[in-house]
Amino acid sequence: GDTIYLQSNHMDFLWLTGGRDETNTGVYTRNRLDNGPEQYSVPTTYEWKIQTTVATTPSEEEEVVVIAVEEVCIEYGQLVRLLNSYTENLWLAAREDKALHTK
């Protein structure tokens, strides 16, 4: 899928970053263009790949099948998954308390 960067609409210079902390599960908004460690040491934590799926519900028991065709357009209402580029297989997810994390 395409690589995207998700910028906050609430405050300038804040971008969604994932795969953080010792367990690679932390998700935060930080300044990825800080001319320092965020920009040069961990730039891939800010990269998210859009993956379309054939899943109809985001259930943990359900196997996600990624459509391999690069030219497929995403349709309104279609489920997508966001894959973090920092390490393999880190997907954006929500815990029961609705906090975001990667898993």
Side-chain angles (χ1 to χ4, degrees):
D2 290 332
T3 298
I4 61 171
Y5 299 88
L6 300 170
Q7 185 176 16
S8 171
N9 197 29
H10 179 67
M11 294 178 68
D12 292 338
F13 308 111
L14 289 181
W15 304 78
L16 190 67
T17 178
R20 306 305 290 262
D21 301 330
E22 291 180 16
T23 59
N24 293 336
T25 60
V27 175
Y28 305 99
T29 52
R30 295 186 178 158
N31 182 0
R32 75 176 188 94
L33 303 175
D34 67 351
N35 286 321
E38 292 299 310
Q39 186 169 355
Y40 300 111
S41 298
V42 288
T44 56
T45 64
Y46 292 89
E47 296 175 357
W48 299 89
K49 294 188 187 302
I50 299 175
Q51 300 288 318
T52 56
T53 70
V54 295
T56 55
T57 58
S59 167
E60 288 196 25
E61 293 81 32
E62 190 168 352
E63 182 177 337
V64 177
V65 179
V66 177
I67 299 172
V69 180
E70 291 290 326
E71 300 297 321
V72 173
C73 293
I74 297 171
E75 298 176 14
Y76 180 80
Q78 183 177 3
L79 288 178
V80 296
R81 306 281 168 99
L82 296 176
L83 178 65
N84 188 262
S85 295
Y86 183 61
T87 60
E88 290 185 27
N89 300 320
L90 283 179
W91 299 89
L92 185 63
R95 295 191 307 244
E96 288 181 19
D97 63 0
K98 299 189 179 173
L100 293 177
H101 66 114
T102 49
K103 67 175 195 167

